[in-house]
Amino acid sequence: MVAASTGGPRVIFLGPPGAGKGTQAARLADHLAVPRISTGDMLRDAIAAGTAVGKQVGPIMEKGGLVPDDLLDRIIGERLRMADAANGYILDGFPRTLRQAEGFERMETAHGDVTDDVFVLSVEVPRDELLRRLSGRRWCPQCQATYHVYNNPPKNDARCDNDGAKLIQREDDKEVAVKRRLAEYDERTAPLIDYYRGRSRFHRIDGYRPPDVVFADLLAIVARRPAAAARAEKPA
Ligand code: AP5
Ligand code: MG
């Protein structure tokens, strides 16, 4: 188990659509007993609930575009202030633009936290494998669990293991939207790799391996204790 930093373990998952961010973020959050904060899931919840935000973002997401930065800043700002995020969190899908990354730094600095202590894990997978994963992904509209028709099929044909709901294909996993999502990633999210690269807690992860093998790597990385935690425990 990872020793908590002064504010608990904090992790950002970077990576293109289909890299396995959601799959690994869920496992790591369970393991570290911290919330997984997936902006994609939060936005899909808003669409399902028919809120004003959901109505605004629905058409953008369906086509594979990115939702405006100011909306994301607000959503994440509110989420990080919730009590369960006080002892750490896993960010899955945020930040996704330089503006979001800068906004996140300002937010965390305002809380007195050291953003250098945040692990940034960049999951890398070849493009043809991303396409294979996205086209075969199936999704539970009730609990948002994800499956894959070949790699990770449900126990019962086309039904969610958790709640029995009928699995569907995400609208943005269809071909045209996938192209746009990949283009958005290349143009607006991939530059974050350079933004974070110089930091001590930036790690590239080879995501083109079985999920258990990828997860073992992640665990080894986050088990390296943040210096701030060690400093905090040393007697004065
Ligand atoms: P989001 O929900 O974050 O989607 P995404 O980034 O496109 O990523 P995916 O969920 O498609 O892939 P993943 O990396 O999580 O892979 P997964 O684990 O599912 O965002 C959706 C939309 O919301 C965006 O397009 C945008 O519109 C909006 N949005 C969200 N955040 C935003 C932000 N910050 N700013 C602006 N807009 C935002 O795995 C994929 C498949 O592969 C699954 O079937 C899985 O079973 C399988 N798989 C996983 N790992 C492996 C493995 N190791 N080997 C084989 N198969 C595997
Ligand atoms: Mg995901």
Side-chain angles (χ1 to χ4, degrees):
M1 186 72 181
V2 172
S5 73
T6 38
R10 291 174 294 159
V11 177
I12 290 172
F13 272 95
L14 281 184
K21 303 182 296 296
T23 302
Q24 298 296 336
R27 292 180 69 164
L28 193 58
D30 259 10
H31 183 87
L32 298 176
V34 295
R36 163 183 166 236
I37 300 178
S38 158
T39 44
D41 283 1
M42 290 166 80
L43 294 167
R44 281 184 288 275
D45 279 343
I47 294 172
T51 64
V53 167
K55 290 197 174 94
Q56 181 189 348
V57 304
I60 302 173
M61 288 174 67
E62 201 167 290
K63 294 193 196 83
L66 288 183
V67 167
D69 289 333
D70 50 355
L71 182 61
L72 261 299
D73 288 350
R74 185 155 57 80
I75 290 175
I76 279 289
E78 283 168 11
R79 183 63 187 86
L80 293 184
R81 280 196 294 276
M82 289 168 74
D84 66 341
N87 294 317
Y89 50 77
I90 312 286
L91 290 180
D92 165 13
F94 181 94
R96 232 178 175 102
T97 65
L98 280 172
R99 239 208 69 191
Q100 290 178 18
E102 288 160 3
F104 173 71
E105 301 249 357
R106 280 194 297 274
M107 261 177 240
E108 287 300 73
T109 309
H111 294 157
D113 283 334
V114 185
T115 43
D116 276 349
D117 281 349
V118 179
F119 287 97
V120 180
L121 308 177
S122 173
V123 185
E124 302 182 355
V125 171
R127 192 70 33 130
D128 54 348
E129 170 70 2
L130 294 177
L131 295 173
R132 211 176 57 80
R133 288 186 188 179
L134 291 172
S135 61
R137 177 164 61 183
R138 295 296 178 266
W139 173 71
C140 172
Q142 213 150 290
C143 73
Q144 305 223 28
T146 56
Y147 300 86
H148 190 279
V149 284
Y150 304 120
N151 301 338
N152 178 26
K155 292 192 187 85
N156 273 331
D157 194 30
R159 299 243 164 224
C160 179
D161 292 350
N162 302 330
D163 52 34
K166 195 166 165 14
L167 300 179
I168 57 173
Q169 187 174 35
R170 254 168 58 178
E171 208 45 52
D172 63 348
D173 278 347
K174 296 182 179 162
E175 204 180 330
V176 178
V178 164
K179 264 196 191 147
R180 169 100 187 265
R181 283 161 67 201
L182 288 168
E184 292 278 27
Y185 173 80
D186 290 341
E187 194 180 317
R188 301 181 65 195
T189 309
L192 291 183
I193 293 175
D194 272 344
Y195 179 81
Y196 285 119
R197 189 161 27 205
R199 309 211 178 174
S200 56
R201 298 192 186 282
F202 173 82
H203 295 270
R204 290 176 181 274
I205 313 289
D206 176 3
Y208 191 22
R209 296 173 299 164
D212 286 349
V213 179
V214 176
F215 187 58
D217 257 17
L218 298 182
L219 282 186
I221 289 169
V222 298
R224 293 174 207 156
R225 302 184 62 194
R231 277 199 304 275
E233 281 169 23
K234 272 193 192 151

